[in-house]
């Protein structure tokens, strides 16, 4: 039961993050939402003793890059995007992250992935196009919002591949904690002034507390524990709950409308991500050397 919760709850938390972002935007502008969630996440993770363990000095450059690619940049894109597109669609598009992560790994290692992995990536990206098409067709701000989400997902794809060796050498939580510290510094110039001039309501305050403490800290800690107990492959299953939870909460809580074509695209991407994971595991079992290029999908960064 505990093992199952360690897999499901991070996905539920990250899926709910898009709802929390939307609620937070009622109180502060996008840059303020980003800064507050990172600040709360950093402070909460500071309470975990294991997060403050030292890391290899030479890895600090990589951690700094991770602070930008994993936290500061994508977490800035999501609230800006949700000014113009629904939290449900944002969360559904976020489901393409495992596909981008696998594609980036193949490019970085200059090795074409196994055929089924390549087919899965292509199908998943096609699903992403279907999800985005109604918004892109509308043009204007909706199209811009979708572009921002895709940019965030691509950034996550690079971050996942950068994080893996850093975490293997230093542990997940020390790397995440320091990357959050870098992100806090990067987002403070724009975010802090906006956070100080927010128009606060209890709902917005609770949403941002949950976004920072749960989405940026607790879910990462649980995923780290799950990876230690069950392995990274099993822990990565939590990523498949994110778009489903985001869709349900957006529709049920915020009464958001999602186009039928977007729903079809979301289903295609979700199935494709599962195919990529299955094919990657099969290829890794058949040829261990292939793990470096097409191994099991890593756990998703916090939404």
């Amino acid at each position: 039961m505990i093992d199952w919760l360690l897999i499901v709850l991070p996905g539920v938390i990250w899926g709910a993050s898009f709802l929390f972002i939307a609620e937070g935007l009622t109180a502060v502008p996008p840059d303020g939402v980003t800064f507050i969630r990172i600040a709360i996440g950093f402070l909460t993770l500071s309470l975990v003793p294991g997060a403050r363990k030292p890391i290899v000095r030479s890895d600090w450059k990589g951690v700094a890059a991770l602070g930008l690619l994993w936290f500061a940049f994508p977490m800035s894109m999501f609230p800006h995007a949700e000014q113009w597109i629904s939290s449900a669609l944002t969360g559904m598009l976020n489901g393409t992250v495992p596909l981008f992560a696998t594609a980036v790994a193949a490019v970085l290692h200059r090795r074409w992935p196994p055929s089924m992995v390549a087919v899965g990536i292509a199908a998943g990206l096609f699903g992403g196009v279907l999800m985005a098409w109604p918004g892109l067709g509308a043009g204007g701000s909706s199209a811009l919002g979708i572009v921002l989400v895709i940019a965030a997902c691509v950034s996550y794809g690079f971050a996942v591949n950068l994080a893996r060796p850093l975490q293997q050498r230093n542990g997940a939580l020390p790397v995440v904690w320091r990357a959050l510290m870098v992100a806090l510094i990067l987002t403070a110039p724009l975010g802090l002034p906006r956070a100080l001039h927010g128009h606060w309501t209890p709902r917005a305050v609770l949403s941002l507390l949950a976004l920072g403490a749960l989405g940026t800290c607790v879910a990462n800690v649980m995923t780290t524990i799950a990876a230690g107990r069950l392995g990274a492959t099993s822990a990565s299953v939590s990523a498949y709950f994110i778009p489903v939870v985001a869709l349900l909460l957006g529709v049920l809580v915020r009464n958001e409308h999602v186009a039928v074509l977007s729903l079809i695209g979301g289903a295609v991407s979700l199935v494709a991500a599962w195919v990529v994971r299955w094919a990657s595991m099969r290829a890794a079992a058949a040829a261990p050397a292939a793990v470096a290029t097409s191994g099991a999908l890593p756990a998703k960064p916090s939404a």
Side-chain angles (χ1 to χ4, degrees), residues 85-267:
I85 62 175
S86 67
S87 65
L89 180 57
T90 304
M92 289 168 60
L93 288 169
N94 191 74
T96 60
V97 168
L99 303 170
F100 282 117
T102 306
V104 168
V107 172
L108 292 178
H109 291 89
R110 299 179 182 178
R111 186 177 302 173
W112 188 257
S115 57
M116 281 300 295
V117 174
V119 169
I121 292 174
L125 295 180
F126 175 69
V129 172
L130 293 181
M131 280 189 283
W133 193 258
L136 292 173
S141 298
S142 294
L144 177 57
I146 288 171
V147 170
L148 294 180
V149 175
I150 295 301
C153 293
V154 173
S155 182
Y156 273 151
F158 281 96
V160 164
N161 286 281
L162 176 62
R164 180 179 291 167
L166 292 172
Q167 292 181 341
Q168 288 174 340
R169 286 191 295 270
N170 303 285
L173 295 184
V175 170
V176 170
W177 184 65
R178 286 165 175 81
L180 279 171
M181 179 172 61
V182 171
L184 186 63
I185 295 170
L186 292 176
T187 57
L190 292 177
L192 181 57
R194 288 159 177 77
L196 293 175
H197 295 89
H199 302 285
W200 298 104
T201 64
R203 185 165 178 166
V205 170
L206 291 175
S207 294
L208 289 175
L209 285 174
L211 182 64
L214 298 180
T216 314
C217 176
V218 173
N220 275 306
V221 172
M222 294 184 70
T223 298
T224 300
I225 296 172
R229 289 171 61 104
L230 309 172
T233 300
S234 295
S236 70
V237 173
S238 63
Y240 299 106
F241 293 94
I242 296 171
V244 177
V245 173
L247 172 63
L248 291 175
L249 291 178
V251 171
L252 297 177
V253 177
R254 292 184 58 82
N255 298 313
E256 295 173 346
H257 171 74
V258 179
V260 174
L261 187 60
S262 295
L263 293 174
I264 295 172

